[in-house]
Amino acid sequence: MSTDLKKERSSAKPTKDENVRQQKSPEMKPAEHISIEGSEMTESLIMVRNLEKHYGELHALDGVSIDIEKGEVAVVIGPSGSGKSTFLRSLNLLEMPTSGEIIFEGVNMLDKGVNINTHRQKMGMVFQHFNLFPHMTIMKNVTIAPIKLLGKTKEEAEAKAHELLKRVGLDDRADAYPSQLSGGQKQRIAIVRALCMEPDVMLFDEPTSALDPEMVGEVLEVMKALAKDGMTMVVVTHEMGFAREVADRVVFMADGKILETGTPGEIFTAPKTEKAKQFLASVLK
Amino acid sequence: MTLFFAAEDSGFFEDLRERFINNFITGDRWKYLANGLGVTMKITLGAVIIGVILGFLVAAVRATHDKTGKLRFLNAVAKIYLTVIRGTPVVVQLLITYFVILAPMGVDEIIVAIFAFGINSGAYVAEIVRAGIMSVDNGQFEAGRSLGFNYAQTMWYVILPQAFKNILPALCNEFIVLLKETSVSGYIALQDLTKGGYIIVGRTFDAFMPLISVAIIYLVIVMILTKLVALLERRLRNSEH
């Protein structure tokens, strides 16, 4: 599958890829799908083409191509070492791909002369290990970027922050430091920090993997609410329950390739590839 | 002669008093120490400022190179600087700066010393700061960049404040070393604290009291500095919990 994708892509970018559209299950987002069909102007929010990443000998990404539509929740699953984190981190160029294209809002971010920083402002990222700034209060953590980068006043940024902090139930901890919070609270703050930049897409890199089991739920709840609000999300996770419940599309990766994509129903009940069958058998016991 | 007999008569403490008067009061000899201390402080302060600026610049170049692979030429220059400065004695550097480079241009000795010690200290500060930058978890760097901060902004808002706290003890230690190293300023005819004490020895032929006094003055300054840094460290720690 990935090989014929490659052929298609490299030849012609302007022609919308029927291939990708077929992969996407049409029934999952009828309204959105029709609108795309209707006007050829509408582009996917993120179009990834033939992404390659080599770490010396290791071929971490091997011709990855995928479209992320606006409002879509794409959940990337796969065995460890399959390249799913590398793929996600390539989307905002925390990993620099060796070759390929990442077209975000119409701009190929890998073109020379593109200011990656302004694009990153539109892509919120949540990390496995939270990476809150330990020397700042929660309020400072979530407002420093909008104040310094979006030119918001302190009042504007803090009003927005309070609104978002209330939504994750942590408004009372605004003056605390990260080290005073539990893991689940830290991750909710990390989500708020990314949201304060009013991004067009949120990238989640195994957001619950470093959490104690009893704290996973509170973070997933926040993510579900976010998905319900129509946020475009790309989520790398081992939480199969979340994938099944929230994902519009599940992307199965192995050996640096996307082997299968489909609705949760398709992937979880009728995986096509042997690798996916094995993986799902091992995680869905 | 009278002095000798006086000491014989009234014992140890009277002797000490006499020597104290002879070394410090007679001819206002204490002024050698006071003025010398002034010179030492001037050199140290000036050198600290140059050392910190130079050190941070060099560390920025080195860390940027380590993290991104850019600035290859500047990094090579920085490496040569570090190797030469750390590989040669500070006295030799001071002498070269004075006799070879600056004295022919008629530059004031204190300025020469400030430059020589500043450039010397910069090399040590640079490696301390670089280690501090590298000690901050890379996730912090990624978090800053993912929000849209550029490299310099991420350094300034996210990395350096955390690095600074980590390196404060080492940085303070470097300044203490610097303060003590300025005691070789006498080599270029500067009358710093050490030289001041030595001049008194030359006048009174009494080595004990002037030199012990010089040692005590250094010690007291170092202890005050250490105390101040401990206070500062505690403050920084409290701000983070």
Side-chain angles (χ1 to χ4, degrees):
Chain A
M1 177 169 70
S2 72
T3 46
D4 59 29
L5 275 181
K6 245 189 254 182
K7 257 181 268 163
E8 287 267 334
R9 297 299 130 62
S10 49
S11 58
K13 186 172 59 175
T15 48
K16 279 292 273 179
D17 308 281
E18 286 307 316
N19 222 336
V20 172
R21 212 126 0 106
Q22 275 155 20
Q23 279 176 43
K24 283 196 47 185
S25 52
E27 70 275 10
M28 73 189 188
K29 273 186 174 279
E32 191 118 4
H33 195 74
I34 287 163
S35 78
I36 292 169
E37 292 283 72
S39 70
E40 284 300 310
M41 295 296 289
T42 323
E43 283 188 314
S44 304
L45 186 66
I46 308 177
M47 298 190 287
V48 180
R49 296 286 175 273
N50 269 324
L51 214 56
E52 298 273 340
K53 173 77 185 178
H54 295 267
Y55 292 109
E57 288 291 288
L58 184 72
H59 201 169
L61 291 179
D62 184 358
V64 172
S65 297
I66 190 171
D67 285 11
I68 307 289
E69 308 296 339
K70 201 164 172 10
E72 179 182 31
V73 177
V75 174
V76 185
I77 60 170
S80 59
S82 59
K84 43 191 202 305
S85 271
T86 307
F87 162 67
L88 189 79
R89 290 157 54 80
S90 295
L91 292 180
N92 66 354
L93 301 192
L94 283 184
E95 300 286 349
M96 197 45 102
T98 314
S99 66
E101 286 182 340
I102 300 167
I103 297 153
F104 174 56
E105 298 182 332
V107 177
N108 181 7
M109 299 209 294
L110 291 168
D111 278 346
K112 279 220 164 74
V114 169
N115 183 353
I116 179 61
N117 297 315
T118 55
H119 292 290
R120 280 189 181 137
Q121 292 173 14
K122 296 270 147 215
M123 302 175 119
M125 182 144 190
V126 176
F127 299 88
Q128 183 178 355
H129 294 288
F130 332 126
N131 297 343
L132 294 179
F133 305 134
H135 58 300
M136 300 177 189
T137 61
I138 298 310
M139 184 49 84
K140 190 93 194 293
N141 258 282
V142 301
T143 55
I144 183 167
I147 290 173
K148 303 289 179 192
L149 296 172
L150 301 182
K152 286 195 180 186
T153 64
K154 193 160 177 275
E155 290 70 33
E156 286 170 341
E158 290 192 350
K160 173 86 182 167
H162 279 303
E163 177 200 321
L164 287 166
L165 286 172
K166 273 192 198 106
R167 266 172 56 187
V168 303
L170 288 171
D171 198 30
D172 55 329
R173 306 309 308 272
D175 296 322
Y177 282 87
S179 58
Q180 296 167 306
L181 303 184
S182 72
Q185 291 174 326
K186 281 184 202 172
Q187 196 59 299
R188 284 186 279 160
I189 296 297
I191 294 171
V192 169
R193 178 174 68 177
L195 289 176
C196 276
M197 287 297 285
E198 296 167 2
D200 294 337
V201 57
M202 287 282 286
L203 312 175
F204 291 85
D205 189 4
E206 303 198 22
T208 57
S209 297
L211 295 176
D212 290 337
E214 74 268 25
M215 293 173 180
V216 170
E218 61 190 73
V219 172
L220 292 182
E221 282 310 313
V222 170
M223 291 169 64
K224 278 178 205 166
L226 203 54
K228 209 171 274 172
D229 287 352
M231 174 61 75
T232 312
M233 294 163 63
V234 184
V235 185
V236 170
T237 187
H238 295 292
E239 293 294 327
M240 294 305 147
F242 177 83
R244 199 183 291 231
E245 192 181 334
V246 184
D248 296 315
R249 181 160 50 145
V250 175
V251 178
F252 176 75
M253 284 186 76
D255 305 325
K257 298 187 190 76
I258 294 179
L259 292 190
E260 279 190 53
T261 66
T263 61
E266 290 167 358
I267 298 282
F268 286 114
T269 52
K272 293 185 210 89
T273 56
E274 199 51 43
K275 285 232 164 100
K277 277 179 200 156
Q278 279 173 10
F279 173 74
L280 289 169
S282 70
V283 293
L284 294 178
K285 264 176 219 151
Chain B
M1 236 16 194
T2 49
L3 203 116
F4 178 71
F5 283 122
E8 277 287 277
D9 290 346
S10 20
F12 180 69
F13 288 104
E14 191 58 26
D15 170 53
L16 217 57
R17 203 179 78 91
E18 287 296 330
R19 284 166 72 182
F20 183 84
I21 290 171
N22 189 35
N23 277 312
F24 300 123
I25 311 294
T26 314
D28 280 345
R29 289 186 180 134
W30 60 273
K31 282 188 176 168
Y32 288 115
L33 294 188
N35 295 341
L37 179 61
V39 170
T40 294
M41 294 314 271
K42 266 188 217 162
I43 299 173
T44 306
L45 275 180
V48 162
I49 292 167
I50 292 180
V52 166
I53 294 171
L54 194 60
F56 269 84
L57 285 177
V58 172
V61 169
R62 299 267 290 135
T64 304
H65 178 80
D66 288 354
K67 274 195 196 296
T68 66
K70 290 175 187 162
L71 303 179
R72 201 179 287 170
F73 175 73
L74 281 177
N75 184 57
V77 174
K79 264 185 163 170
I80 294 171
Y81 161 70
L82 294 175
T83 309
V84 171
I85 294 296
R86 295 197 300 169
T88 54
V90 68
V91 189
V92 178
Q93 292 165 20
L94 180 67
L95 290 173
I96 290 176
T97 314
Y98 182 58
F99 289 109
V100 180
I101 304 171
L102 293 177
M105 294 155 61
V107 180
D108 185 69
E109 284 91 351
I110 288 198
I111 307 289
V112 173
I114 287 175
F115 264 97
F117 286 113
I119 289 168
N120 177 271
S121 182
Y124 294 94
V125 172
E127 287 304 87
I128 292 169
V129 173
R130 189 172 76 102
I133 290 172
M134 288 311 188
S135 76
V136 177
D137 178 39
N138 200 40
Q140 291 288 312
F141 192 79
E142 292 187 341
R145 295 308 301 270
S146 78
L147 286 168
F149 286 116
N150 64 29
Y151 181 88
Q153 287 169 323
T154 306
M155 273 290 162
W156 188 250
Y157 296 126
V158 179
I159 306 297
L160 284 179
Q162 297 181 60
F164 184 70
K165 200 177 62 94
N166 293 345
I167 64 177
L168 199 62
L171 217 47
C172 171
N173 204 35
E174 165 55 24
F175 297 147
I176 289 172
V177 169
L178 177 63
L179 171 79
K180 292 184 292 180
E181 275 185 343
T182 61
S183 61
V184 298
S185 301
Y187 272 91
I188 60 167
L190 269 173
Q191 292 192 11
D192 72 319
L193 178 58
T194 306
K195 184 74 175 180
Y198 198 63
I199 290 172
I200 298 176
V201 175
R203 297 282 149 87
T204 61
F205 303 110
D206 179 4
F208 175 81
M209 208 167 258
L211 295 186
I212 292 295
S213 305
V214 166
I216 289 172
I217 294 172
Y218 278 115
L219 184 64
V220 168
I221 298 173
V222 168
M223 285 167 70
I224 291 172
L225 275 178
T226 311
K227 191 80 193 165
L228 285 177
V229 169
L231 281 175
L232 184 60
E233 251 183 274
R234 203 171 312 148
R235 282 241 345 226
L236 284 171
R237 192 137 302 147
N238 281 345
S239 78
E240 196 181 293
H241 300 275

